[in-house]
Amino acid sequence: SFNPQIVIGVGGYASGPTLKVAAWLGIKTLIQEQNSFPGKTNLLLAKKASLICTAYADMNKFFPSEKIILTGNPIRKDIVNIESKKEEALAYYNLDPRKKTILIIGGSLGARTLNEAVENELSSLADSKDIQVLWQCGNLYFDQISARVSLPEHVKLNRFIDRMDLAYAAADLIISRAGATSISELCIVAKPLILVPSPNVSEDHQTKNAMSLVNVEAAVLIKDTQAKDLLLKKAFEILADSNQMSLLSKNCSSLGKPNATKEIVDAVQSLIN
């Protein structure tokens, strides 16, 4: 009864029957695949889809090549050109401009593995004279960590980061999970990057997302099982190596797709027209 001109799906299970019926009815459909390894819903819908917008190259091994448009994933506009925000960012998070900053982000709920890795190296961080940490531990863990440990002044613990653009601007190196949207943003930010893929996702797609960067030397991967012992040590090692810092940043920048939203909208309009 709504009679749409086009139906768009982004891979959630609920989009499966909706796009399938749309295709039966002769309504144009567009799929947006955010990950480097497609979910089952999009794989099933691809044959009948009118167009498929992807965030990664070489997706023709999963989808019909004639339907693919490499657009990237939509991102927040405020993370583009963040270098101009560096001074504001350091002041906002009360960071020392003379020190290098590690940003650790585990999502709004937090990531237990990343938190354990930081706690495991608190003594090293406490002794550090030239490194500081902006640590987003997540709502689930903030009270526990605050009660359990005494943090040095240069380790800034946050329940949630409300100004992600400023956190990115302040960072010299970023440690993150490897969700599709996060990686799309991080390629725009183009800071040296360590990815710790979550093992608790379907088809291990975060590892596949991470490897798309690791394979072109745009990021370093640490396995979840290794993070507690290796993560901060690797971060210190990268920060001390200016050549690796430059290489990671340059290669990461080359993967950024800042105009993804416009290109997806253009694809939608081309189908409608």
Side-chain angles (χ1 to χ4, degrees):
S1 62
F2 181 66
N3 193 26
Q5 294 166 285
I6 188 170
V7 181
I8 302 169
V10 294
Y13 68 89
S15 70
T18 310
L19 269 74
K20 187 171 184 177
V21 170
W24 278 346
L25 294 173
I27 298 168
K28 293 184 184 298
T29 62
L30 181 142
I31 294 170
Q32 200 254 328
E33 176 52 62
Q34 298 185 356
N35 293 291
S36 62
F37 188 85
K40 292 178 180 177
T41 300
N42 278 351
L43 286 171
L44 291 169
L45 293 171
K47 187 176 180 180
K48 297 291 186 182
S50 306
L51 281 178
I52 303 167
C53 294
T54 66
Y56 294 88
D58 301 322
M59 296 297 281
N60 54 349
K61 55 192 170 187
F62 304 111
F63 300 131
S65 57
E66 69 275 9
K67 296 182 179 182
I68 295 173
I69 303 176
L70 177 59
T71 59
N73 288 324
I75 59 158
R76 291 173 280 196
K77 290 182 179 179
D78 63 1
I79 67 165
V80 178
N81 298 324
I82 57 167
E83 287 306 315
S84 63
K85 300 180 180 181
K86 178 91 172 183
E87 185 176 344
E88 178 189 0
L90 293 171
Y92 187 86
Y93 286 108
N94 193 27
L95 294 165
D96 188 338
R98 297 167 296 181
K99 296 181 178 182
K100 293 180 179 178
T101 302
I102 300 174
L103 169 64
I104 302 172
I105 43 178
S108 58
L109 296 179
R112 182 191 299 274
T113 301
L114 302 189
N115 293 339
E116 289 176 346
V118 180
E119 286 196 60
N120 195 47
E121 290 292 340
L122 275 179
S123 59
S124 299
L125 288 169
D127 294 338
S128 175
K129 304 299 182 189
D130 58 356
I131 294 174
Q132 57 197 344
V133 177
L134 182 55
W135 175 15
Q136 186 257 317
C137 67
N139 195 49
L140 288 176
Y141 303 101
F142 181 83
D143 293 335
Q144 302 168 27
I145 294 171
S146 298
R148 186 166 61 239
V149 299
S150 177
L151 295 173
E153 185 180 359
H154 54 277
V155 176
K156 312 291 185 181
L157 182 67
N158 290 262
R159 184 188 303 270
F160 181 77
I161 291 181
D162 60 338
R163 286 293 304 273
M164 205 69 229
D165 60 324
L166 296 184
Y168 285 146
D172 294 288
L173 180 145
I174 300 172
I175 296 171
S176 175
R177 288 302 203 188
T181 303
S182 295
I183 285 188
S184 294
E185 290 192 346
L186 291 166
C187 287
I188 300 298
V189 171
K191 299 289 180 78
L193 181 60
I194 301 176
L195 295 172
V196 187
S198 171
N200 306 312
V201 295
S202 62
E203 297 158 326
D204 195 26
H205 70 255
Q206 285 206 6
T207 296
K208 297 177 177 70
N209 290 346
M211 289 307 300
S212 67
L213 274 67
V214 173
N215 288 337
V216 294
E217 297 185 89
V220 171
L221 183 145
I222 299 290
K223 292 181 179 179
D224 192 81
T225 54
Q226 301 173 319
K228 185 175 180 180
D229 295 322
L230 298 181
L231 183 57
L232 269 295
K233 291 182 176 67
K234 176 56 73 172
F236 299 153
E237 179 186 312
I238 293 171
L239 281 172
D241 186 341
S242 59
N243 289 332
Q244 188 176 18
M245 291 276 285
S246 297
L247 179 68
L248 289 170
S249 181
K250 178 183 176 182
N251 291 343
C252 194
S253 178
S254 71
L255 300 175
K257 301 288 184 186
N259 299 315
T261 301
K262 181 181 184 303
E263 291 182 18
I264 293 170
V265 172
D266 287 346
V268 171
Q269 290 179 330
S270 73
L271 284 177
I272 292 174
N273 294 336

